[in-house]
Amino acid sequence: MANIHPTALVDPAAELDSTVSIGPYSIVGPDVKIGPGTSVGPHCVIEGHTTIGSDNRIFQFVSLGAINQDKKYQGEPCELVIGDRNTVREFSTYHIGTVQGGGVTRLGDDNWMMAYTHLAHDCVVGNHTIFANNAQIAGHVVVGDWVILGAYTCVHQFVRIGAHGMTAMGSVLLADQPPFVMSEGHPAGARSMNFEGLRRRGFSAERIGAVKAMHKALYREGRTLDDAREQIAGLVQRFPEGAGDVQMMLDFLAATTSQRGIVR
């Protein structure tokens, strides 16, 4: 049997691994599944079609799987899916998806989610991200691996944030942010690339050189986006070790809509 506090209300239909712990006064609904080693603190509400993986630590007063804040929602069985080894701090709110957006809100693995973070419907967050206090992302936002959102960052709906990016405290992101970019401001503008973060993650000098060259093509030479993409594509010959990083940037830019554009 899971370690459930006597004051917690856990629906008999919920599927909890025997190693799960549920704190005082928490509520777990009938369509919830929680994997091994996950702990849920006091006064949490986990409802809806919510699946939580293993070894997550969910702190007090967290709300997971509530109905999304979308007027189009008509009670369809949409989902919230949370991976493994995430830390979710106090007063965070993560909602289920909508049928219009694919039906699933998803949080990956090894993410560090500080207090008051919000994942709206149909968001997809990758792995190893950090959301500082009060970082908020609107519906349909996609966040790549290793992204760091500074405290009070707000992200507009449908915006994409590429892997290894970072925002400063209080940033308001209204356009797509390519991989590796650091942005800040209201609205946010690109300021540099996350070079220190890349060094800490073991990027070689050649890979960082490729990122510097991509930054120059995108932001320092006055090029159009199409011209920048052409320049970036040619970097594979100069930086063969960074070929994967170059391709990731090209793939991201190819998927950027002309309506939203990228941070400048």
Side-chain angles (χ1 to χ4, degrees):
M1 293 290 292
N3 181 17
I4 301 172
H5 192 274
T7 61
L9 299 178
V10 178
D11 193 285
E15 298 181 22
L16 275 57
D17 185 85
S18 61
T19 58
V20 168
S21 64
I22 307 292
Y25 303 103
S26 286
I27 299 172
V28 179
D31 298 310
V32 172
K33 300 177 182 178
I34 304 180
T38 290
S39 64
V40 177
H43 297 279
C44 295
V45 177
I46 305 177
E47 56 188 308
H49 292 268
T50 297
T51 301
I52 301 173
S54 62
D55 298 316
N56 295 283
R57 191 175 182 192
I58 300 166
F59 281 71
Q60 57 268 25
F61 302 106
V62 168
S63 173
L64 302 176
I67 291 173
N68 53 66
Q69 299 176 136
D70 190 320
K71 287 186 175 181
K72 298 187 299 295
Y73 182 69
Q74 297 296 319
E76 299 90 350
C78 297
E79 298 179 75
L80 169 66
V81 177
I82 295 175
D84 303 329
R85 299 176 302 279
N86 297 290
T87 296
V88 181
R89 295 303 302 250
E90 299 85 349
F91 299 100
S92 293
T93 54
Y94 304 162
H95 294 164
I96 60 172
T98 65
V99 292
Q100 295 84 3
V104 181
T105 303
R106 192 178 301 274
L107 177 67
D109 303 330
D110 301 295
N111 298 289
W112 185 260
M113 315 295 284
M114 297 187 195
Y116 292 93
T117 55
H118 176 64
L119 304 188
H121 59 85
D122 306 297
C123 289
V124 177
V125 177
N127 308 314
H128 303 285
T129 69
I130 298 174
F131 282 40
N133 297 314
N134 278 282
Q136 314 271 316
I137 62 176
H140 311 278
V141 167
V142 177
V143 180
D145 296 344
W146 298 102
V147 165
I148 300 174
L149 298 185
Y152 298 94
T153 291
C154 294
V155 183
H156 193 279
Q157 62 188 16
F158 292 102
V159 161
R160 300 176 304 127
I161 305 175
H164 303 286
M166 185 174 182
T167 65
M169 180 180 69
S171 298
V172 177
L173 198 58
L174 303 179
D176 289 354
Q177 179 172 304
F180 312 110
V181 169
M182 296 177 64
S183 70
E184 61 94 13
H186 188 313
R191 295 296 179 261
S192 183
M193 297 294 208
N194 189 15
F195 299 120
E196 183 57 33
L198 301 182
R199 292 186 186 96
R200 292 179 181 181
R201 289 168 208 140
F203 274 55
S204 66
E206 182 171 316
R207 291 180 69 187
I208 291 175
V211 173
K212 289 181 178 178
M214 289 190 285
H215 178 252
K216 184 177 179 181
L218 275 175
Y219 295 111
R220 300 302 183 201
E221 297 178 335
R223 298 176 181 272
T224 66
L225 185 56
D226 287 340
D227 287 344
R229 288 167 59 184
E230 184 176 346
Q231 178 74 8
I232 290 169
L235 295 176
V236 174
Q237 286 72 37
R238 286 176 55 194
F239 303 99
E241 200 174 310
D245 306 311
V246 170
Q247 190 60 53
M248 180 169 64
M249 178 67 81
L250 291 172
D251 290 344
F252 186 95
L253 296 176
T256 296
T257 65
S258 57
Q259 180 181 15
R260 180 123 336 258
I262 65 171
V263 292
R264 288 293 194 177

